[in-house]
Amino acid sequence: NAGVMQNPRHLVRRRGQEARLRCSPMKGHSHVYWYRQLPEEGLKFMVYLQKENIIDESGMPKERFSAEFPKEGPSILRIQQVVRGDSAAYFCASSPGLKKISTDTQYFGPGTRLTVL
Amino acid sequence: LAKTTQPISMDSYEGQEVNITCSHNNIATNDYITWYQQFPSQGPRFIIQGYKTKVTNEVASLFIPADRKSSTLSLPRVSLSDTAVYYCLVGDGETSGSRLTFGEGTQLTVNP
């Protein structure tokens, strides 16, 4: 059973470009979380999704960031018009959705390291 | 907002038992306590979760006193491969995901 997959592992963008980060959850998992981790800091929650439904986006910046988890295919975190401050590691986690949000065990992917030049 | 406080770093030696304490003074009645481990350039990995008293699995033990304002992760006989950052996470299922903030974590360094 493959774990959570994220791609690309490393992404370089110039200011103003768009960044698309993909996350494929573990088989059988219906819930996906996205986190951002700045260097030397802890993970910050961004968004929590179920297939075709955003459950909680309270951690998402109001502008330029969006996320989706379509019925088919991976979850996508999209950052439009990237700025240098968006440089960070972005982690995706999935869970089976059997328990409530923060008590459900989360399985993390290896992360995508975004560098904005 | 439930906030957690952990020591920034700890040092230990191979074979010793390590105890990492997390303070969560504002823990709510429905809050569970979860610990994750993170190696450099990797995503966090679930270690253990508990609500009260003591929980033990094949990797660690979690001690939670009666007032639940703190919790202690205990790693028996650590090895060099246990060098990692350990995060304490507190939250319940009824709150928004913005409470899912891992904080700074504790950098554990195990020396030979």
Side-chain angles (χ1 to χ4, degrees):
Chain A
N1 186 13
V4 177
M5 310 280 285
Q6 287 188 251
N7 66 80
R9 295 292 308 275
H10 300 274
L11 182 61
V12 179
R13 285 287 178 266
R14 297 190 181 279
R15 282 180 296 170
Q17 292 184 320
E18 178 180 283
R20 281 189 178 227
L21 288 63
R22 288 176 289 277
C23 170
S24 297
M26 285 182 70
K27 186 176 181 180
H29 284 189
S30 58
H31 292 67
V32 165
Y33 310 72
W34 283 94
Y35 293 85
R36 176 165 60 179
Q37 185 172 37
L38 297 170
E40 308 302 323
E41 293 187 12
L43 289 90
K44 304 297 184 188
F45 169 84
M46 299 181 75
V47 64
Y48 173 44
L49 310 103
Q50 197 176 10
K51 279 194 182 288
E52 299 184 285
N53 185 29
I54 296 175
I55 301 175
D56 187 335
E57 56 182 349
S58 55
M60 286 280 270
K62 294 288 186 278
E63 298 177 346
R64 303 188 298 108
F65 285 73
S66 63
E68 64 176 4
F69 189 14
K71 186 177 180 180
E72 300 291 337
S75 175
I76 306 287
L77 178 67
R78 182 182 177 202
I79 311 173
Q80 296 178 291
Q81 299 176 325
V82 296
V83 300
R84 289 220 174 103
D86 296 333
S87 294
Y90 291 83
F91 289 98
C92 163
S94 73
S95 71
L98 299 176
K99 299 180 182 178
K100 296 174 180 177
I101 179 172
S102 64
T103 58
D104 216 6
T105 299
Q106 298 178 47
Y107 297 84
F108 283 80
T112 294
R113 274 141 193 89
L114 172 66
T115 302
V116 179
L117 302 177
Chain B
L1 187 68
K3 177 174 165 40
T4 60
T5 304
Q6 303 173 231
I8 294 174
S9 63
M10 294 183 69
D11 279 276
S12 183
Y13 292 92
E14 283 189 290
Q16 289 188 332
E17 178 184 82
V18 171
N19 296 308
I20 305 174
T21 297
C22 177
S23 296
H24 27 80
N25 292 319
N26 296 327
I27 190 168
T29 303
N30 295 328
D31 279 353
Y32 280 73
I33 301 151
T34 311
W35 285 80
Y36 285 81
Q37 174 193 56
Q38 186 179 27
F39 296 110
S41 302
Q42 294 186 25
R45 183 175 71 102
F46 172 87
I47 301 175
I48 197 166
Q49 183 181 79
Y51 182 78
K52 62 180 179 180
T53 62
K54 177 184 175 182
V55 179
T56 298
N57 61 22
E58 64 278 5
V59 176
S61 294
L62 179 59
F63 298 92
I64 305 168
D67 65 7
R68 303 198 330 116
K69 292 184 183 299
S70 67
S71 59
T72 299
L73 174 72
S74 181
L75 304 172
R77 293 194 299 279
V78 294
S79 63
L80 295 177
S81 62
D82 291 319
T83 294
V85 178
Y86 291 82
Y87 293 99
C88 159
L89 180 66
V90 174
D92 70 24
E94 305 302 336
T95 61
S96 76
S98 59
R99 290 187 67 177
L100 293 176
T101 300
F102 280 66
E104 307 307 316
T106 297
Q107 171 65 60
L108 171 66
T109 302
V110 179
N111 301 292

